[in-house]
Amino acid sequence: MTSPADPHTRCYWHINGSTDTLLDRLAVAELCKGWPVYRDASEWKNYRSLFADDAIVWTTWSGPRHIDDFIEISKAGKAQGVFIMHRECGTLVELNPARSRAIGKMKATITHRFKFDSATCTASNGSDGGGVTTPLLAQPAEFDVDCDCRFIFFCEKDAATGEWKAKYVKLFYEKDKVVPVDGHTAPRFSAEELARIPEGYKYLGAAQARLGYQIDLDLPTAGGELWARMYGEMEKWLDGKRVDLDWERAEKNGQRQ
């Protein structure tokens, strides 16, 4: 559950304003919407054009990656049958024109399709009308994990070209659920599998971990320490200051704040 407290200390340009500020916000919103449109369709040239030369992105399964590395491992995953889609659910932008900085906030749902061996799944036979589950599967079962999240794009305007690019992308992972493709088949996750993944992406992370991914355990969710820290970094970015989103490095060095 999200916190009732307002995480921002002040307002930036986010609605209305001059034609110039409206156009800047529209340009940043286009960058955000390019993620689901271009990545899902493997339009890699268009996707790469959204980002600055040295851009870094974070996901549950990739950890922090330079955008070029992220594209290459995304291609490799798709070649092996990895099927991840994104549904954009609304995008707004906060802008500081004096610093040529903006934060794009894109609400989205990540949908990752999985196929697990039948030994790790159960299906409801509905025999008693109470949803009793019994092993009924003779073949691998397909299911989705839907994760509701907010993509946060740290964007900057190039003074020479006037173009906006994304420098960093990191997400708030807010809640997730398992969705049986056939309406009744679902995976079984042990308590140990789920306990190690933060609330907000525990089912997504547990399912991805079964595929061999090293899950990033230091991503912001719908509340708590990293939620507040993320908002602090967002405001620093808008104020033109240097930001530090590499929390995994700090954790390894014993510097987590």
Side-chain angles (χ1 to χ4, degrees):
M1 182 178 296
T2 57
S3 168
D6 189 334
H8 274 310
T9 63
R10 57 195 176 282
C11 285
Y12 297 86
W13 285 109
H14 64 109
I15 55 172
N16 299 318
S18 67
T19 300
D20 286 343
T21 58
L22 286 167
L23 290 174
D24 278 336
R25 296 202 309 270
L26 174 61
V28 173
E30 282 191 320
L31 294 181
C32 300
K33 296 178 182 186
W35 186 297
V37 172
Y38 296 146
R39 187 184 182 279
D40 289 4
S42 299
E43 296 181 18
W44 300 116
K45 294 182 181 64
N46 285 340
Y47 182 69
R48 181 63 181 86
S49 70
L50 307 173
F51 299 93
D53 290 343
D54 55 349
I56 305 294
V57 302
W58 284 257
T59 69
T60 55
W61 55 270
S62 70
R65 296 275 182 168
H66 185 278
I67 184 58
D68 291 330
D69 293 337
F70 181 75
I71 289 173
E72 290 308 309
I73 61 175
S74 296
K75 289 180 179 179
K78 288 194 174 196
Q80 296 171 8
V82 175
F83 190 16
I84 302 175
M85 303 292 286
H86 305 79
R87 295 190 296 273
E88 188 242 345
C89 304
T91 300
L92 287 174
V93 174
E94 292 184 333
L95 172 72
N96 185 350
R99 296 292 186 180
S100 298
R101 294 272 183 95
I103 291 287
K105 300 176 176 179
M106 182 178 73
K107 289 178 66 67
T109 298
I110 300 168
T111 297
H112 192 156
R113 174 65 55 89
F114 296 91
K115 183 181 288 187
F116 281 2
D117 184 87
S118 59
T120 66
C121 298
T122 59
S124 174
N125 60 16
S127 60
D128 67 348
V132 174
T133 58
T134 56
L136 298 175
L137 309 178
Q139 58 187 4
E142 287 186 294
F143 63 95
D144 289 338
V145 177
D146 282 358
C147 184
D148 294 330
C149 58
R150 285 181 292 147
F151 281 72
I152 305 299
F153 289 74
F154 293 71
C155 300
E156 193 165 25
K157 189 176 186 178
D158 187 291
T161 66
E163 294 183 346
W164 286 92
K165 298 289 183 180
K167 171 79 170 178
Y168 306 110
V169 180
K170 199 163 193 174
L171 286 65
F172 290 96
Y173 293 88
E174 296 177 317
K175 65 181 178 67
D176 64 345
K177 64 180 181 293
V178 175
V179 182
V181 172
D182 63 4
H184 60 87
T185 304
R188 293 194 302 252
F189 295 107
S190 69
E192 291 75 17
E193 284 180 290
L194 295 175
R196 63 181 294 268
I197 310 293
E199 191 73 34
Y201 58 104
K202 65 166 53 183
Y203 295 102
L204 180 62
Q208 289 174 337
R210 284 196 186 179
L211 298 181
Y213 290 109
Q214 185 70 35
I215 303 304
D216 191 334
L217 303 179
D218 289 302
L219 296 170
T221 56
E225 172 192 354
L226 297 183
W227 176 79
R229 182 171 182 175
M230 182 75 159
Y231 270 100
E233 298 297 333
M234 291 158 65
E235 290 201 347
K236 285 163 59 178
W237 178 259
L238 287 167
D239 288 343
K241 300 174 183 176
R242 187 182 70 84
V243 298
D244 182 9
L245 298 172
D246 193 1
W247 307 334
E248 296 82 3
R249 171 185 48 78
E251 177 77 7
K252 290 176 182 178
N253 295 335
Q255 300 172 351
R256 182 166 174 177
Q257 299 174 353

